[in-house]
Amino acid sequence: MPDVPPALESPPHRVQITEVGLRDGLQNEPVVLATEHKLALARALIAAGVREFEATSFVSPRAVPALADAAALVRTLRETPDLHLSALVPNVRGAERALEAGVDSVVLFVSASESHNAKNVNRSVAASLAGFEQVARLLEGSGVALRGAIATAFGCPFEGNVPVRAVTNIARRFAELGATHLSLGDTTGMATPPLVAERINHLREVVSGLPLTLHFHNTRGIGLANVMQGLALGVDRYESSIGGLGGCPFAPGASGNIASEDLAYLLEEMGIETGLELEGLIDAARLASEMMGRPLPAQVSKAGPRLALAECTAVATARG
Amino acid sequence: MPDVPPALESPPHRVQITEVGLRDGLQNEPVVLATEHKLALARALIAAGVREFEATSFVSPRAVPALADAAALVRTLRETPDLHLSALVPNVRGAERALEAGVDSVVLFVSASESHNAKNVNRSVAASLAGFEQVARLLEGSGVALRGAIATAFGCPFEGNVPVRAVTNIARRFAELGATHLSLGDTTGMATPPLVAERINHLREVVSGLPLTLHFHNTRGIGLANVMQGLALGVDRYESSIGGLGGCPFAPGASGNIASEDLAYLLEEMGIETGLELEGLIDAARLASEMMGRPLPAQVSKAGPRLALAECTAVATARG
């Protein structure tokens, strides 16, 4: 390995990757996976070292049929020891279902932009925040953690730029509600390195005690460039989906979440620990691709690890 | 724009992007474009602000049929003022043809690994370097610049890791031959941020006067993460292909060069000047995709620019 400094200011030594493929990856896919297939994919991911899953969302099965098996999925995953299982909940009813199923943490989500929040949960940002109090009370003393997630934190597909203040105001509220983590969601791939730096720096002032997680989509191809910016600022929590599963209904043909195997490959090559094993992730990505019946956008699972060498035959190709 | 520092140590204010789609992008594609189609693509790129093209390669038409029109292409492009046109040449015969056609610079290329050089040009690295002297003499007083390109500069698909000394030794030779620029080619997508940093730092010691160009492939999804590392170290020259045209015969299904529009988008969002206009690049990428008869790997041309907004309808999606 190189004997020169890594040039990024303060990259972390270890990064926690939360696998969101079972939730964010599957919720927009046209193929609805059977619970047993989701479990097979989860087992492949666990074999590759994944220990933290955003497993599902306790929303109305009518709204998101792909996640109608939320309770059964969490209950079965729960049988594997040492996993951290989180799930999104839109309201107190969802939180009750999530607790009953046995999650470790409940993720409350709201968009930083009014129009996306209206589109997503049919209410204002203020109404979403007000509803969170009931969930926070429910969680008190339950041993289940509350996590906050801010969608469209780097831009809104309907409104465009999202002021940093819209993000910090919500973050402050999550901190008051006792959230243990805050995830910034780049819902439709509008994050850029300067926006990442801006939001991180502001949040570290406003909610200094709240660990930040970055959740990027690769919609415009710069998901891992945004990770580089996060790493340069020392952020050590990222969310990704195996194979790059997922996508966005507002950007047809565009890529979904950043891919877990590409992210893990990048971090491993940078000497940053993830606890994940690349060959195992590639196996899981290939399984996911088979299940979805299409090639997924991730690259490492197609090209293979860096040192998976080809055989050299003697035909000159003159390719430069 | 954010009022916080960009977190990268010393990003450049302006970056020169060389479009290599007509050469590196097309040489491995199964579809052979007619010269008039290449020219139509070039015109679209010129309309988007592209001024520097690696236009073709003066190799044997038998070895690379897709580039058999090298002379005709350069002669016609030459009619447009203010372009910098470069072309690869494998030997003095190729250089003679390139000069006759009217290039601004001749690119001599050699691999940093013996087996890739043997596979590519059927000779040893030393034999390639020896052959360059004849070309350098031919160029003396011609007004045509000599540029050096090192293939497999970050790893070899047959040998694996490539010692940095293999790269610096070749670089030194290029400097002695009077090269004005040095391009480091990530031929099969094996570059990683630490390897990028290592090679840049060593080359700046060994050939301090030789401007560096980084040429990344997105084979393993981290092409733009490598660009971020290059930017952090102040490198201000990159090569890319429109739409991410190209690919690698040793990594089936894998992506080709980093895409010009994704790179330009990233740089523009970082406040770095490129002289390119994103909408025009997207038009050119869509034209390239039509010509090749397949979707190309680039993302921005599918998703649209960051602020190409969608209309918000009122149906709740509960996607989190």
Side-chain angles (χ1 to χ4, degrees):
Chain A
M1 272 291 97
D3 55 346
V4 288
L8 297 185
E9 279 175 20
S10 53
H13 297 294
R14 193 180 195 291
V15 154
Q16 175 65 49
I17 298 179
T18 300
E19 173 61 41
V20 300
L22 296 174
R23 198 278 301 173
D24 200 3
L26 295 181
Q27 70 186 10
N28 288 317
E29 289 282 347
V31 175
V32 174
L33 287 192
T35 310
E36 63 194 291
H37 286 145
K38 293 183 190 177
L39 289 167
L41 184 54
R43 277 193 299 273
L45 289 161
I46 292 165
V50 175
R51 291 295 173 269
E52 190 160 324
F53 287 91
E54 189 177 274
T56 188
S57 189
F58 286 87
V59 290
S60 152
R62 264 172 306 131
V64 189
L67 306 184
D69 62 354
L73 184 70
V74 169
R75 254 186 235 112
T76 313
L77 283 175
R78 192 73 290 167
E79 294 166 12
T80 303
D82 302 327
L83 298 185
H84 185 102
L85 301 176
S86 65
L88 268 65
V89 308
N91 50 36
V92 76
R93 176 71 195 112
E96 284 165 356
R97 291 171 58 210
L99 259 64
E100 202 182 304
V103 299
D104 296 295
S105 58
V106 148
V107 182
L108 287 168
F109 61 95
V110 59
S111 304
S113 62
E114 289 291 347
S115 55
H116 190 269
N117 206 57
K119 171 88 180 163
N120 203 30
V121 292
N122 204 21
R123 74 193 73 142
S124 69
V125 171
S128 278
L129 294 175
F132 292 167
E133 284 172 39
Q134 234 187 321
V135 177
R137 276 198 299 273
L138 177 74
L139 294 184
E140 267 171 33
S142 69
V144 171
L146 186 162
R147 293 184 174 187
I150 305 179
T152 65
F154 302 95
C156 167
F158 312 119
E159 297 175 25
N161 287 319
V162 164
V164 68
R165 177 186 285 273
V167 176
T168 51
N169 284 346
I170 296 170
R172 197 180 281 115
R173 192 71 197 107
F174 274 129
E176 289 164 0
L177 289 167
T180 60
H181 291 81
L182 176 66
S183 171
L184 299 184
D186 182 23
T187 312
T188 60
M190 294 175 73
T192 65
L195 289 171
V196 172
E198 178 202 41
R199 266 128 237 252
I200 291 171
N201 287 325
H202 277 84
L203 286 167
R204 284 180 171 167
E205 280 193 16
V206 172
V207 287
S208 55
L210 200 51
L212 296 181
T213 302
L214 297 174
H215 172 117
F216 295 124
H217 284 231
N218 201 35
T219 320
R220 291 176 174 82
I222 67 169
L224 294 182
N226 288 324
V227 169
M228 288 292 282
Q229 180 65 84
L231 294 173
L233 293 173
V235 174
D236 63 356
R237 298 186 59 89
Y238 297 85
E239 295 176 349
S240 59
S241 80
I242 192 69
L245 266 174
C248 169
F250 313 121
S255 192
N257 291 82
I258 57 170
S260 304
E261 65 269 41
D262 293 359
L263 173 61
Y265 168 70
L266 173 64
L267 295 173
E268 181 182 298
E269 291 292 336
M270 291 178 74
I272 297 170
E273 278 176 46
T274 61
L276 303 177
E277 192 263 307
L278 189 60
E279 293 279 5
L281 289 178
I282 290 175
D283 290 344
R286 289 177 180 163
L287 181 62
S289 174
E290 275 171 42
M291 286 178 177
M292 306 316 289
R294 66 175 177 91
L296 297 177
Q299 289 297 314
V300 172
S301 37
K302 297 191 189 88
R306 196 174 162 271
L307 295 179
L309 302 186
E311 205 176 321
C312 184
T313 53
V315 187
T317 54
R319 291 311 201 254
Chain B
M1 273 291 96
D3 55 345
V4 288
L8 298 185
E9 278 176 21
S10 54
H13 297 294
R14 190 178 197 291
V15 154
Q16 175 65 49
I17 298 179
T18 301
E19 172 62 40
V20 301
L22 297 174
R23 197 280 300 175
D24 200 3
L26 294 180
Q27 69 187 8
N28 288 318
E29 290 283 346
V31 174
V32 174
L33 287 192
T35 310
E36 63 194 291
H37 286 146
K38 293 184 191 177
L39 289 167
L41 184 54
R43 276 193 299 271
L45 289 160
I46 292 165
V50 175
R51 293 294 174 270
E52 190 159 326
F53 287 91
E54 189 176 275
T56 188
S57 189
F58 285 87
V59 290
S60 151
R62 263 171 307 134
V64 189
L67 305 184
D69 62 353
L73 184 71
V74 169
R75 255 186 234 114
T76 313
L77 284 175
R78 192 72 289 168
E79 293 166 12
T80 303
D82 302 325
L83 299 184
H84 186 103
L85 301 176
S86 65
L88 268 66
V89 307
N91 51 34
V92 75
R93 176 71 196 111
E96 285 165 354
R97 290 171 59 208
L99 260 64
E100 203 181 304
V103 299
D104 296 296
S105 58
V106 149
V107 182
L108 287 168
F109 61 95
V110 60
S111 304
S113 62
E114 289 291 347
S115 56
H116 190 271
N117 207 57
K119 172 88 178 161
N120 203 28
V121 291
N122 204 21
R123 73 192 75 142
S124 69
V125 171
S128 277
L129 294 176
F132 291 167
E133 285 173 39
Q134 235 187 318
V135 176
R137 275 198 300 273
L138 177 73
L139 294 184
E140 268 172 33
S142 70
V144 171
L146 187 162
R147 294 184 174 186
I150 305 179
T152 65
F154 301 94
C156 168
F158 312 119
E159 296 175 25
N161 286 321
V162 165
V164 68
R165 177 187 286 273
V167 175
T168 51
N169 283 347
I170 295 170
R172 197 180 279 116
R173 192 71 197 106
F174 273 131
E176 289 164 358
L177 289 166
T180 59
H181 291 80
L182 176 66
S183 170
L184 299 183
D186 182 23
T187 312
T188 60
M190 296 174 71
T192 65
L195 290 171
V196 171
E198 177 202 42
R199 267 130 237 250
I200 291 171
N201 287 325
H202 278 83
L203 286 167
R204 283 178 171 169
E205 279 192 16
V206 173
V207 287
S208 55
L210 201 51
L212 296 181
T213 302
L214 297 175
H215 172 118
F216 295 124
H217 284 231
N218 201 35
T219 319
R220 289 176 175 84
I222 66 170
L224 294 182
N226 289 323
V227 169
M228 288 292 282
Q229 181 64 86
L231 293 173
L233 294 172
V235 174
D236 64 355
R237 298 186 59 89
Y238 298 85
E239 295 176 349
S240 59
S241 80
I242 191 71
L245 267 174
C248 168
F250 312 121
S255 191
N257 291 82
I258 57 169
S260 304
E261 65 269 40
D262 292 359
L263 173 61
Y265 168 71
L266 173 65
L267 296 173
E268 181 182 297
E269 291 293 336
M270 292 178 74
I272 298 170
E273 278 176 44
T274 61
L276 303 178
E277 192 263 309
L278 189 61
E279 292 279 4
L281 289 177
I282 290 175
D283 290 344
R286 290 178 178 163
L287 181 63
S289 175
E290 276 172 39
M291 285 177 178
M292 306 317 289
R294 67 174 178 93
L296 297 178
Q299 289 297 316
V300 173
S301 37
K302 297 192 188 87
R306 195 172 163 273
L307 294 179
L309 303 185
E311 206 176 322
C312 183
T313 53
V315 188
T317 55
R319 291 314 200 253

